[in-house]
């Protein structure tokens, strides 16, 4: 069993440089053979995650749901979907995770409920203006007879964000129509979510991932403003920060200050990370000392595989996090995006929506290149200060399953966009655990999404027998990262001295590596190179010709060096520079 960062009650800062593994429960492991992953299946496979070397798991929603948005349409926030198990199964899973040294995060979805939630059913049965409707955002329509939506607000899944009910009123849904938005100006809503946080914290949950954290607060004062009106210019990014009618409003921070008092009432305090699709300068506001602990850094995930772009994102992310005393987060894949093993094998600038519509054929991804870059990107991510979030299956190098048939798609994005967006099912295909079987060890029957032929070759069982496999690489990298982190370091926001060397001249002599300073990219500069305060360095050749390495002992390389010891493109190394020893190797 791998050793873990000390997650004892005395270590309240364990999360600051932890590695968190995201589990999409319906696609992780199926224990009862119904084709849907479940909590018992997760519990039986937790040893894989302990051996992998992660510090915590984060579960996407497992609550009762009609699955109109993959579980993010929640009908009951304090129960388990019967198809996934029971509360007793959840308690057993948490107990086993803690026994193995793993912390547990769960998803909280505060912006909207399912339309099957008891509150919304009560609202539909109540008249306009009733207290039951006030928990949601109901409004009369526009136009002479109220037959038009109240505003031109846009749903994230395409189309107008209002749906009319039989009595003529309209309700707001910023996502699917089956996901009515809550009214966070209502004290009963706020009180109920405080109770939800306590419910799961009392059951041993260590933290929460906050879905659409930037969406709860809305400008509901009448008359509601159209986003196409002159004061908004019709372009969201041009609106003054914090003033958009329903995204990232300044008032949202009052909600999380309130939540922080609940989280801090536990010992150790519970942790929360925000999913907030906003810019760096706005995202860090969610992580001020009296709000949430972390926020996902999507700029890193979206950065093109080019040295200047990556360097800029890293610098700005670290500076933003340090400005509020937080730690940065780093992520390459999740349940909403094309898997990076495929994404990095496509030409920079590829339109991913168009690529998915072509079933992943136009252009054809270079899967070998994608895996090579995925390893280098992983070493870069794991070397940066702060926390890394890993999505299930990326340790196996799983590609995006881009050629799912339309008849197999489950994601509502496809239908609501009129087929313009294929959706997110390709990254949610059930995991392969074994080389054979009806679902490659996922369960005793075929999974809820079809797995591609040949998935067994990427399975855990197949890769465990190969010391050069992607899985072996992840295990080595995670173990070495833990060994290299300075004991007691709380996820330092700096990279040590000398600080950054964003780019090294390709023609440098091996014994004389020039320091280009903290910023600026010359034409010959090609490497990402930075020093950790713990006595080690990370060097990544993103897209340049083979280059000399600085002096130091190579601890780990994402791929082979050239015959004359140069670092080729799409390759990363970790170097020890303090003279210490290590059992890890290239």
């Amino acid at each position: 069993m791998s050793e873990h960062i000390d997650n004892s009650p005395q270590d309240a800062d364990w999360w600051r440089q932890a590695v968190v593994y995201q589990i999409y429960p319906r696609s992780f492991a199926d224990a009862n053979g119904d084709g849907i992953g479940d909590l018992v299946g997760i519990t039986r496979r937790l040893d894989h995650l302990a051996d992998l070397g992660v510090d915590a798991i984060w579960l996407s929603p497992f609550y009762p749901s009609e699955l109109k948005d993959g579980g993010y349409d929640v009908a009951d926030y304090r129960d388990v979907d019967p198809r996934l198990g029971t509360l007793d199964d959840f308690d057993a899973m948490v107990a086993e995770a803690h026994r193995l040294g793993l912390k547990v995060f769960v998803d909280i979805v505060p912006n909207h409920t399912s339309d099957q939630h008891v509150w919304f059913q009560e609202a539909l049965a109540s008249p306009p203006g009733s207290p039951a409707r006030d928990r949601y955002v109901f409004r009369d329509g526009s136009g002479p007879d109220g037959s038009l939506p109240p505003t031109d607000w846009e749903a994230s899944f395409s189309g107008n964000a209002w749906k009319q009910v039989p009595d003529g009123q309209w309700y707001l849904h910023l996502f699917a129509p089956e996901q009515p938005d809550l009214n966070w100006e209502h004290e009963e809503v706020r009180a109920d979510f405080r109770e939800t946080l306590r419910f799961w914290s009392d059951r041993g949950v260590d933290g929460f991932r906050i879905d659409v954290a930037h969406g709860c607060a809305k400008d509901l004062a009448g008359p509601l403003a159209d986003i196409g009106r002159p004061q908004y210019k019709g372009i969201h990014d041009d609106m003054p920060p914090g003033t958009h009618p329903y995204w990232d409003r300044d008032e949202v921070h009052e909600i999380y200050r309130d939540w922080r008092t609940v989280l801090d009432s536990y010992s150790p305090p519970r942790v929360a990370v925000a999913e907030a699709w906003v810019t760096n300068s706005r995202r860090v506001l969610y992580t001020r000392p009296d709000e949430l602990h972390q926020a996902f850094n999507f700029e890193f995930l979206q950065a093109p595989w080019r040295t200047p772009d990556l360097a800029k994102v890293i610098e700005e992310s670290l500076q933003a996090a340090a400005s509020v005393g937080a730690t940065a987060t780093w992520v390459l894949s999740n349940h909403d995006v094309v898997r990076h093993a495929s994404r990095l094998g496509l030409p920079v600038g590829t339109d991913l929506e168009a690529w998915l519509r072509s079933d992943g054929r136009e252009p054809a991804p270079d899967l070998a290149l994608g895996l090579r870059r995925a390893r280098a990107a992983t070493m870069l991510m794991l070397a940066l200060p702060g926390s890394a979030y890993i999505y299930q299956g990326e340790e196996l190098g799983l590609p995006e399953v881009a050629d799912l048939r339309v008849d197999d798609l489950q994601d509502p994005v496809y239908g609501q966009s009129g087929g313009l967006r294929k959706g997110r099912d390709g990254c949610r295909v059930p995991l392969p655990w074994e080389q054979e079987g009806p679902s490659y060890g996922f369960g005793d029957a075929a999974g809820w999404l079809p797995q591609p032929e040949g998935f067994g070759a990427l399975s855990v069982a197949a890769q465990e027998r190969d010391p050069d496999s992607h899985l072996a690489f992840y295990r080595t990298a995670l173990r070495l990262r833990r060994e290299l982190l300075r004991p007691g370091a709380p996820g330092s926001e700096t990279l040590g001295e000398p600080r950054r060397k964003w780019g090294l001249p390709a023609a440098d002599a091996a014994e004389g590596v020039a320091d280009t300073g903290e910023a600026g990219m010359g034409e010959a500069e090609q490497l990402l190179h930075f020093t950790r305060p713990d006595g080690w360095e990370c060097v990544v050749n993103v897209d340049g010709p083979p280059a000399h390495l600085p002096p130091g002992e190579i601890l780990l390389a994402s791929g082979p060096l050239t015959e004359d010891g140069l670092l080729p493109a799409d390759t990363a190394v970790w170097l020890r520079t303090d003279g210490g020893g290590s059992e890890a190797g290239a």
Side-chain angles (χ1 to χ4, degrees):
M1 190 64 59
S2 303
E3 293 184 3
H4 288 264
I5 292 176
D6 180 12
N7 289 351
S8 66
Q10 291 73 30
D11 182 17
D13 285 335
W14 66 269
W15 50 273
R16 295 181 71 89
Q17 51 185 4
V19 177
V20 182
Y21 184 101
Q22 180 191 359
I23 292 175
Y24 193 75
R26 290 171 173 80
S27 298
F28 190 72
D30 170 22
N32 63 10
D34 65 356
I36 300 173
D38 45 48
L39 297 184
V40 174
I42 293 171
T43 303
R44 293 177 180 175
R45 295 292 190 180
L46 285 176
D47 57 346
H48 166 69
L49 303 182
D51 290 340
L52 183 62
V54 301
D55 304 298
I57 59 173
W58 148 37
L59 276 68
S60 291
F62 50 85
Y63 313 112
S65 172
E66 292 299 304
L67 300 180
K68 300 301 182 180
D69 183 19
Y72 283 87
D73 49 315
V74 178
D76 187 341
Y77 289 87
R78 298 194 283 273
D79 203 353
V80 174
D81 190 315
R83 291 165 290 189
L84 273 67
T86 65
L87 283 171
D88 286 343
D89 293 332
F90 179 85
D91 293 341
M93 181 201 67
V94 172
E96 178 64 5
H98 286 169
R99 186 188 72 81
L100 294 170
L102 300 170
K103 296 289 191 181
V104 178
F105 281 61
V106 299
D107 233 307
I108 296 293
V109 187
N111 180 70
H112 46 260
T113 72
S114 165
D115 61 356
Q116 300 304 304
H117 192 285
V118 63
W119 277 1
F120 193 72
Q121 291 299 304
E122 183 183 355
L124 292 179
S126 301
S130 62
R133 288 204 175 180
D134 196 37
R135 298 187 189 114
Y136 293 89
V137 183
F138 277 85
R139 290 293 185 273
D140 293 331
S142 61
D145 57 357
S147 62
L148 298 176
T151 70
D152 65 353
W153 293 3
E154 301 166 350
S156 291
F157 292 162
S158 297
N160 189 270
W162 297 90
K163 181 176 180 179
Q164 194 171 30
V165 298
D167 61 30
Q169 277 206 313
W170 300 71
Y171 68 86
L172 178 67
H173 62 89
L174 291 181
F175 292 86
E178 297 85 0
Q179 293 170 291
D181 279 47
L182 287 163
N183 172 16
W184 273 88
E185 295 180 3
H186 198 299
E187 177 52 36
E188 192 172 351
V189 172
R190 297 187 180 223
D192 195 72
F193 273 87
R194 287 193 291 267
E195 181 61 26
T196 293
L197 293 174
R198 294 188 185 99
F199 178 87
W200 295 110
S201 296
D202 290 344
R203 300 190 92 92
V205 162
D206 304 284
F208 302 90
R209 179 264 192 185
I210 314 304
D211 184 65
V212 195
H214 59 303
C216 294
K218 299 171 178 69
D219 183 2
L220 299 179
L224 299 182
D226 283 335
I227 56 176
R229 289 182 182 175
Q231 67 265 39
Y232 295 120
K233 304 179 184 178
I235 302 174
H236 300 177
D237 291 344
D238 284 351
M239 299 178 190
T243 66
H244 188 279
Y246 51 88
W247 290 136
D248 189 37
R249 291 188 61 80
D250 289 337
E251 296 89 339
V252 77
H253 300 286
E254 299 172 7
I255 298 170
Y256 302 126
R257 291 189 186 98
D258 182 42
W259 284 21
R260 185 61 180 259
T261 62
V262 175
L263 301 174
D264 285 349
S265 69
Y266 288 84
S267 180
R270 292 346 187 206
V271 179
V273 56
E275 181 210 29
W277 288 86
V278 294
T279 61
N280 257 326
S281 61
R282 294 293 298 177
R283 186 178 66 245
V284 297
L285 300 180
Y286 292 79
T287 61
R288 287 175 290 194
D290 61 343
E291 295 190 42
L292 305 177
H293 299 75
Q294 292 183 324
F296 286 128
N297 179 0
F298 295 117
E299 282 91 344
F300 184 71
L301 181 154
Q302 296 171 321
W305 187 248
R306 293 187 296 233
T307 303
D309 297 280
L310 290 166
K312 183 175 184 290
V313 164
I314 292 168
E315 282 284 0
E316 291 180 350
S317 300
L318 291 173
Q319 291 169 2
S323 70
V324 293
T327 51
T329 64
W330 313 100
V331 59
L332 291 167
S333 285
N334 61 38
H335 66 292
D336 283 333
V337 302
V338 171
R339 285 186 176 274
H340 66 272
S342 292
R343 194 174 71 239
L344 293 174
L346 293 167
V348 171
T350 296
D351 181 337
L352 294 177
E353 294 290 356
W355 178 73
L356 288 172
R357 288 197 300 271
S358 76
D359 290 341
R361 297 186 177 94
E362 299 177 10
D366 184 335
L367 295 180
L369 175 65
L371 279 177
R372 192 160 63 247
R373 288 177 171 174
R375 289 195 184 197
T378 296
M379 286 185 62
L380 171 62
M381 175 178 72
L382 294 177
L384 290 166
S387 295
Y389 286 78
I390 293 174
Y391 180 51
Q392 65 177 40
E394 72 176 72
E395 78 276 19
L396 305 177
L398 295 187
E400 182 81 1
V401 183
D403 59 352
L404 291 170
R405 299 180 308 157
V406 169
D407 290 345
D408 291 323
L409 299 180
Q410 305 289 321
D411 192 345
V413 166
Y414 179 79
Q416 292 192 37
S417 68
L420 294 177
R421 298 166 59 190
K422 191 169 185 181
R424 301 159 293 179
D425 292 312
C427 66
R428 301 176 179 182
V429 171
L431 296 188
W433 293 92
E434 304 292 341
Q435 290 181 271
E436 299 177 349
S439 60
Y440 300 108
F442 169 70
D444 294 334
W448 65 282
L449 283 172
Q451 299 158 300
E453 292 185 13
F455 230 30
L458 299 175
S459 67
V460 174
Q463 296 199 40
E464 279 187 327
R465 293 189 284 272
D466 180 2
D468 297 321
S469 69
H470 205 71
L471 175 59
F473 163 76
Y474 260 74
R475 286 174 173 172
T476 299
L478 288 169
R479 174 178 59 81
L480 182 57
R481 178 184 187 268
R482 186 171 302 110
E483 293 174 1
L484 292 172
L485 290 178
R486 186 176 60 200
S492 171
E493 287 75 51
T494 66
L495 289 170
E497 297 294 343
R499 288 198 62 194
R500 287 73 157 160
K501 300 175 183 176
W502 295 136
L504 297 175
D508 275 336
E511 68 276 10
V513 178
D515 187 343
T516 64
E518 296 185 15
M521 297 298 303
E523 289 184 0
E525 295 168 352
Q526 66 181 90
L527 302 185
L528 292 174
H529 176 200
F530 56 86
T531 302
R532 287 298 305 253
D534 318 282
W536 54 296
E537 299 183 14
C538 177
V539 185
V540 187
N541 187 345
V542 178
D543 52 5
H548 291 287
L549 284 169
E553 173 196 0
I554 295 179
L555 301 176
L556 181 66
S558 64
L561 304 185
T562 66
E563 291 183 359
D564 48 357
L566 299 182
L567 183 68
D570 308 310
T571 309
V573 297
W574 290 349
L575 301 166
R576 184 184 293 280
T577 55
D578 64 357
S582 174
E583 297 178 358

